Amino acid sequence: MARVKHTRDAAGVDSVPWRDVALATKGFMPAAEGDALHAAALAAATRVPGAPFVEIGTYCGRSTVWLGAAAWLSDAVLFTVDHHRGSEELQVGWEHHDAEVVDGRSGRMDSLPFARTALELAGLENSVVLVVGGSVELAHVWDRAAAMVFIDGGHGVDVAGADFEAWAGHVARGGTLAIHDVFADPTEGGQAPYEQIYLPAVRSGRFVEESVCGSLRLLRRL
Ligand SMILES: C[S@@+](CC[C@H](N)C(=O)[O-])C[C@H]1O[C@@H](n2cnc3c(N)ncnc32)[C@H](O)[C@@H]1O
């Protein structure tokens, strides 16, 4: 399917500059955190070989490329879910709104075309499955343990809490739960990912924190 082919040169360097594609894609994943997410996914795949990765919150595909490249390198598949209509904070009048991500016909947010383009340019169409719909609805039919679940969906209290409830149980033992935009200090950012996902995960006794990079928290499933 994918027209871009990944090959390695003698030094093992990938022929497709997928990281440049990630950096050129709209979104909210800083480079250092994307690199940390990529490395964590590679490590999770070695602990739980053959298991899929799951991303909640594709948006335009920025973090998806970092994770998708890890899937490709691991012979795994990344399932990334988003309704592509934008979270509350991405709508018109909110701080993170981008008018370019509005569908001219409907006047609604539509980040799906951007995500498809990012995956095509990064040569990752065979390693990433775009799921268009609600994250909780997907979780209800999801039936296998994931090497990594990355939660970066809606940042409202109810939505973040629902993602934790729906997805934490799908992380394989030895797998990784990654959470974005975790701010323990309320002056640094919204509290929902911290209070509704990070704290319940740690307090459950099922996860232990492995590392932190910016607002990205990486927890290992015990
Ligand atoms: C913060 S953005 C994701 C950013 C992306 N990971 C990146 O690196 O740029 C959050 C995304 O979650 C999606 N979203 C919010 N609530 C959702 C839900 N309940 N189900 C599916 N997608 C949801 C929004 O449409 C939005 O695109």
Side-chain angles (χ1 to χ4, degrees), residues 24-164:
T25 299
K26 288 178 186 291
F28 305 101
M29 181 56 63
E33 294 177 36
D35 290 342
L37 185 67
H38 177 80
L42 289 176
T46 64
R47 295 193 301 268
V48 194
F53 303 158
V54 177
E55 175 182 58
I56 296 135
T58 320
Y59 189 48
C60 295
R62 187 176 167 95
S63 51
T64 314
V65 171
W66 266 288
L67 276 180
W72 172 71
L73 288 164
S74 307
D75 288 326
V77 175
L78 166 65
F79 293 80
T80 180
V81 59
D82 198 310
H83 49 49
H84 289 284
R85 296 308 190 186
S87 314
E88 188 180 27
E89 63 274 10
L90 298 174
Q91 304 300 326
V92 182
W94 289 72
E95 183 188 352
H96 296 297
H97 179 68
D98 182 340
E100 287 180 2
V101 190
V102 173
D103 173 16
R105 181 196 61 78
S106 67
R108 302 172 70 195
M109 296 280 298
D110 186 3
S111 47
L112 179 59
F114 294 87
R116 295 207 71 168
T117 298
L119 294 178
E120 179 185 5
L121 294 176
L124 293 170
E125 289 178 291
N126 289 335
S127 299
V128 181
V129 176
L130 287 161
V131 182
V132 181
S135 57
V136 170
E137 287 74 12
L138 178 64
H140 286 162
V141 297
W142 188 263
D143 71 351
R144 63 197 54 210
M148 168 171 277
V149 172
F150 172 50
I151 302 182
D152 192 18
H155 287 13
V157 168
D158 293 349
V159 184
D163 277 337
F164 172 73

